[in-house]
Amino acid sequence: MQRWEAQLALPVHRPSGKEHSAVLAFSSELDEWLNSRPLRDAFAQAPEPASSEDYVLQVQRLLSKSDTILQRIDAIALRTDEIERRLNAIAAILPESVKPASDAGAETLARPIGLSVAS
């Protein structure tokens, strides 16, 4: 709290003589502080769509972009599955003499890797 108090100039008050005690704040001071923040100003000045048609176009663009992102994620998941299959095949054919005998790495090489990608 002290770091935020110093960095953000939070309008909080501490009981006298107690540096690490609870803080007090007045709602009017907090409201004034919030209204003075740049982020609050940016949201207040954000342009609204000129018409409902503009809004629909913005939503359609966002949906198109999100669809493209989902397609790319699916492609990455498919590539990840293929890499997992290849690594498991390589791990299965490694001779025992190559596998570490006693450390944790032996368990990793001796069993299928088992990566999973949520779809």
Side-chain angles (χ1 to χ4, degrees), residues 48-62:
E48 291 194 20
S51 68
S52 61
E53 291 175 6
D54 290 339
Y55 180 75
V56 169
L57 287 174
Q58 286 179 359
V59 170
Q60 287 174 341
R61 276 189 229 117
L62 286 173

Side-chain angles (χ1 to χ4, degrees), residues 59-112:
V59 170
Q60 287 174 341
R61 276 189 229 117
L62 286 173
L63 288 173
S64 175
K65 287 180 182 181
S66 64
D67 190 42
T68 301
I69 291 170
L70 288 173
Q71 289 173 1
R72 289 180 181 175
I73 290 171
D74 285 340
I76 290 169
L78 288 173
R79 281 185 260 165
T80 302
D81 290 343
E82 178 60 26
I83 291 170
E84 177 188 4
R85 280 191 290 278
R86 289 180 183 182
L87 288 173
N88 286 334
I90 291 169
I93 62 172
L94 282 176
E96 288 296 321
S97 61
V98 177
K99 297 176 185 177
S102 62
D103 61 41
E107 296 173 20
T108 304
L109 290 175
R111 63 175 167 70

Side-chain angles (χ1 to χ4, degrees), residues 23-40:
V23 296
L24 306 170
F26 298 104
S27 61
S28 60
E29 290 177 344
L30 288 173
D31 289 339
E32 184 179 323
W33 178 83
L34 276 173
N35 290 329
S36 71
R37 306 310 298 166
L39 187 60
R40 183 67 62 112

Side-chain angles (χ1 to χ4, degrees), residues 2-49:
Q2 288 179 346
R3 181 181 63 187
W4 296 338
E5 180 182 352
Q7 288 178 342
L8 302 174
L10 288 172
V12 295
H13 307 278
R14 296 181 181 278
S16 61
K18 297 183 180 181
E19 290 184 25
H20 298 289
S21 64
V23 296
L24 306 170
F26 298 104
S27 61
S28 60
E29 290 177 344
L30 288 173
D31 289 339
E32 184 179 323
W33 178 83
L34 276 173
N35 290 329
S36 71
R37 306 310 298 166
L39 187 60
R40 183 67 62 112
D41 293 339
F43 281 116
Q45 296 172 1
E48 291 194 20

